[in-house]
Amino acid sequence: MIHYGVIVHGGAGSPSHFSDGCKVACESAFGFIEAGKSALDAVVEAVRILEDDGRFNAGYGSALRLDGKTVEMDASVMDSKGKIGIVIAIRNVKNPIQVARAVLETPHVALAGEGATAFARKQGFAQFYKVSDYAMERYKEIKQKIKEGNLSGEDYRWKDYDIEKLWNYKSGSYKDILCDTVGSVAIDKKGMLAVANSTGGFSPMMQGRVGDSPMIGCGFYSGPACAVATTGMGEEIIKKMLAKTVYDMVANGKDIKKACELGIKMFSSEIKVGIIAISKEGYASMSNTGMASYTLTHFL
Ligand code: GLY
């Protein structure tokens, strides 16, 4: 029986040797719970640290959109009492997860675009725009693929689509011109569960594109049975409502590892996907990629 614990992942697209970053985030979040803080506090802390790392596609490390300038980020947080906070396509903030946490204290569940950014300012979150070296490198690779006329070689979603026709940025063109999400699930000493997600999206992306990470039941879900965070290609994860599908399996008595295994198997191997989940009975962290992750648990 798990007394308390935290799992952190760095995204289905993150190499396993980035697990050192997940370890730092997990240890800090675990320390929160050991000190009596809630699972909600813990997952927000874990994701905040990953947002500041620069190697992960979230916060400071967020992937650039196709124009090479725009950064739009999504983040979400939910606990097992059903409290939810979401920001979608927020710009110019350092830690979208903290803004999502602040949304949780409003009458709303989700804020998007300019409204989300304006809310962040009103709450005292400073203006922030900085692109990490890692995010810039990833963008250069995509730009090269576009130049070669082989964007679908980078990402099959773009097969059969004309980037020029779909260009929806105010300026520039496709001629001027990667993956993923960080997440954490936790259970605290009182048995409360929580999940947090943050992402810069899944490159290559049009302006305004939204993936699974801020969509309840797709990228995240938490209830009395368990907390689940997913990562990978949002367009595919949304179609399968992956987080709620895994949650329901656990709620109906399936072992948590088996449920996550079945969740991963719902996707063909070229679709990157990862899942972390925790409950009183057990936990799981798995992917079809070898993603960076870290787990700390204390058993009764
Ligand atoms: N899983 C991140 C995204 O598709 O936006």
Side-chain angles (χ1 to χ4, degrees):
M1 193 80 147
I2 294 179
H3 184 199
Y4 52 91
V6 181
I7 311 177
V8 172
H9 76 75
S14 61
S16 56
H17 64 269
F18 285 4
S19 293
D20 61 326
C22 296
K23 180 172 187 274
V24 172
C26 194
E27 283 173 349
S28 180
F30 195 72
F32 269 36
I33 291 181
E34 283 188 313
K37 292 195 179 181
S38 70
L40 193 64
D41 290 329
V43 291
V44 170
E45 167 68 358
V47 168
R48 180 195 68 75
I49 290 174
L50 295 179
E51 285 177 339
D52 289 343
D53 185 296
R55 291 175 296 172
F56 302 104
N57 180 11
Y60 165 51
S62 288
L64 287 157
R65 303 257 154 170
L66 277 168
D67 65 345
K69 288 181 276 207
T70 305
V71 175
E72 291 176 330
M73 299 164 288
D74 306 323
S76 54
V77 62
M78 179 175 186
D79 73 9
S80 47
K81 280 191 187 150
K83 286 171 103 183
I84 305 172
I86 298 168
V87 289
I88 299 169
I90 194 169
R91 297 186 185 197
N92 302 321
V93 293
K94 184 164 170 277
N95 294 109
I97 195 63
Q98 290 179 326
V99 186
R101 170 75 192 260
V103 171
L104 186 143
E105 310 294 344
T106 74
H108 303 307
V109 163
L111 291 176
E114 282 177 23
T117 308
F119 170 73
R121 292 291 168 273
K122 186 88 187 194
Q123 295 294 308
F125 294 99
Q127 165 91 15
F128 182 87
Y129 179 87
K130 213 166 149 191
V131 177
S132 75
D133 293 346
Y134 209 80
M136 194 49 86
E137 279 310 308
R138 286 198 303 256
Y139 176 69
K140 279 182 194 155
E141 285 166 22
I142 285 167
K143 194 170 160 184
Q144 185 58 32
K145 286 274 182 359
I146 291 170
K147 274 191 184 149
E148 291 163 3
N150 184 27
L151 191 53
S152 61
E154 170 71 29
D155 177 350
Y156 78 88
R157 289 175 305 171
W158 286 85
K159 189 172 173 289
D160 303 328
Y161 290 102
D162 181 345
I163 187 171
E164 188 168 14
K165 283 196 186 142
L166 293 179
W167 190 260
N168 69 345
Y169 297 90
K170 283 198 182 111
S171 60
S173 108
Y174 78 97
K175 292 175 190 131
D176 312 320
I177 70 163
L178 214 86
C179 136
D180 218 327
T181 313
V182 299
S184 176
V185 292
I187 181 165
D188 63 29
K189 288 178 174 173
K190 291 182 179 154
M192 288 292 294
L193 293 137
V195 52
N197 265 345
S198 184
T199 188
F202 193 115
S203 290
M205 291 170 287
M206 292 164 67
Q207 181 173 219
R209 177 266 180 194
V210 180
D212 59 303
S213 307
M215 293 201 191
I216 183 167
C218 302
F220 69 97
Y221 199 81
S222 177
C226 65
V228 186
T230 74
T231 167
M233 189 174 283
E235 280 75 2
E236 301 298 332
I237 291 172
I238 289 166
K239 288 173 199 160
K240 299 200 189 310
M241 293 184 68
L242 182 60
K244 186 64 163 54
T245 301
V246 170
Y247 179 88
D248 285 346
M249 284 193 256
V250 176
N252 289 320
K254 200 166 279 306
D255 171 74
I256 199 161
K257 278 200 170 65
K258 188 73 197 160
C260 291
E261 229 172 82
L262 290 170
I264 300 280
K265 279 192 187 144
M266 289 164 71
F267 300 84
S268 56
S269 58
E270 77 271 13
I271 297 168
K272 287 180 182 174
V273 63
I275 307 173
I276 55 172
I278 197 162
S279 73
K280 281 194 187 79
E281 278 77 38
Y283 68 89
S285 169
M286 57 183 79
S287 71
N288 59 8
T289 59
M291 73 181 177
S293 74
Y294 203 79
T295 303
L296 284 170
T297 47
H298 182 271
F299 288 85
L300 277 173

